[in-house]
């Protein structure tokens, strides 16, 4: 990793920890569900490994944080970055709870499993020529691909403006997103200007972290960050 790459702002995307519905394969969009004990432990484990001064996700490096307003995302944020992580007062101004990063609204399919959705749609005479694909077909009574893309694009525009002044290093310019599995995969596609239904298979486990950034320190070259330089923090690195 070049010095330029190390100074280029990053976007950390974090999926909330396990919930009972997610564990059982039920589509969970607008329903407000708490983390399981395992889910809370997943996030706490992630925080212990990567969050802190001199670690990949240093609270002092964050220019802004966007969190889904659902309980499972809020709790994940609290476990990932306790208030004590921020030190100085006024950190609340850097946090926005926004529906822009809420999970896909599954509408009539909320709480159902994949096989149940397929059965429901077939009973209505749908999908006779091809199997239902949420990326392409959206959800009855819920959101379409375009609606999800539009709200994510608005958020991406906000993030670009936040990070634009920091492309050559300087003060903290990183951004953190805490949200949900499907919408974060959509976000990653839109970040690199792919359509939400592009065939780009991705996985993001409960409590997991992924990183987005820019190539060549250029705001017009958004990229997936496939790896970070992992090195021991020097005294000069710790603020």
């Amino acid at each position: 990793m070049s010095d330029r790459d190390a100074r280029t702002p990053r976007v950390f995307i974090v999926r909330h920890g396990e919930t009972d519905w997610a564990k059982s394969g039920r589509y969970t969009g607008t329903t407000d569900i708490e983390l399981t004990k395992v889910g809370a432990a997943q996030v706490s484990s992630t925080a212990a490994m990567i969050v802190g001064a001199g670690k990949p996700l240093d609270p002092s490096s964050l220019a802004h944080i966007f969190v889904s307003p659902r309980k499972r995302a809020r709790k994940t944020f609290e476990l990932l970055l306790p208030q004590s992580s921020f030190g100085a007062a006024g950190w609340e101004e850097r946090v926005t709870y926004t529906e822009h990063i809420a999970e896909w609204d599954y509408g009539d399919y909320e709480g159902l499993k994949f096989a149940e959705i397929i059965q429901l749609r077939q009973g209505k005479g749908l999908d006779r020529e091809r199997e239902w694909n949420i990326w392409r077909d959206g959800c009855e009574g819920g959101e379409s691909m375009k609606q999800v893309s539009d709200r994510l694009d608005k958020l991406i525009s906000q993030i670009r403006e936040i990070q634009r002044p920091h492309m050559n290093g300087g003060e903290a310019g990183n951004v953190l997103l805490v949200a949900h599995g499907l919408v974060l995969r959509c976000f990653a596609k839109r970040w690199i200007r792919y359509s939400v239904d592009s065939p780009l298979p991705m996985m993001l486990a409960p409590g997991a972290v992924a990183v987005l950034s820019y190539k060549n320190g250029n705001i017009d070259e958004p990229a997936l960050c496939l790896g970070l330089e992992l090195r021991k923090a020097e005294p000069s690195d710790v603020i």
Side-chain angles (χ1 to χ4, degrees):
M1 178 180 287
S2 69
D3 288 342
R4 169 186 280 184
D5 291 336
R7 294 194 307 269
T8 301
R10 296 166 181 161
V11 177
F12 293 86
I13 61 175
V14 179
R15 181 183 176 186
H16 65 73
E18 177 193 86
T19 67
D20 282 330
W21 277 24
K23 181 173 64 174
S24 63
R26 298 172 69 183
Y27 278 63
T28 317
T30 57
T31 305
D32 240 354
I33 294 181
E34 301 282 359
L35 300 182
T36 62
K37 290 183 179 179
V38 170
Q42 289 168 334
V43 179
S44 295
S45 177
T46 296
M49 288 187 286
I50 72 163
V51 177
K55 293 183 178 182
L57 182 49
D58 186 337
S60 69
S61 75
L62 294 173
H64 207 85
I65 301 162
F66 294 95
V67 183
S68 163
R70 303 290 89 80
K71 289 179 181 177
R72 55 198 185 275
R74 285 175 173 265
K75 184 61 177 179
T76 295
F77 172 51
E78 292 171 8
L79 293 170
L80 189 73
L81 288 176
Q83 293 187 20
S84 58
S85 302
F86 292 90
W91 64 268
E92 296 94 339
E93 297 177 359
R94 288 185 279 159
V95 182
T96 300
Y97 297 93
T98 173
E99 293 288 343
H100 285 338
I101 200 64
E103 184 57 292
W104 198 309
D105 182 348
Y106 298 125
D108 297 348
Y109 309 151
E110 183 77 6
L112 300 182
K113 297 180 180 180
F114 180 77
E116 294 171 332
I117 296 172
I118 298 302
Q119 185 177 20
L120 175 65
R121 289 177 62 88
Q122 288 177 345
K124 295 181 177 181
L126 301 173
D127 310 322
R128 291 182 177 178
E129 297 183 358
R130 60 187 183 186
E131 188 175 76
W132 173 69
N133 180 297
I134 188 172
W135 310 93
R136 177 190 64 233
D137 303 321
C139 300
E140 294 179 281
E143 285 187 294
S144 67
M145 181 183 76
K146 183 179 186 305
Q147 288 172 312
V148 174
S149 295
D150 286 348
R151 62 179 168 93
L152 291 177
D153 287 350
K154 290 177 182 177
L155 180 59
I156 288 170
S157 293
Q158 285 183 255
I159 293 172
R160 294 267 201 273
E161 291 310 305
I162 290 170
Q163 294 189 320
R164 190 180 300 277
H166 307 291
M167 295 309 294
N168 295 312
E171 63 180 283
N174 291 335
V175 168
L176 169 66
L177 272 60
V178 183
H180 313 268
L182 183 60
V183 80
L184 285 174
R185 284 180 282 150
C186 293
F187 181 91
K189 289 183 179 182
R190 294 306 301 145
W191 181 261
I192 57 174
R193 300 184 176 124
Y194 278 35
S195 172
V196 164
D197 64 341
S198 295
L200 182 65
M202 289 181 285
M203 298 171 62
L204 189 62
V209 181
V211 185
L212 310 173
S213 190
Y214 306 87
K215 289 179 60 178
N216 305 314
N218 185 347
I219 195 78
D220 294 319
E221 295 186 62
L224 304 178
C225 190
L226 296 183
L228 296 175
E229 178 187 16
L230 300 177
R231 60 188 177 90
K232 184 177 180 180
E234 301 296 333
S236 60
D237 294 329
V238 181
I239 298 175

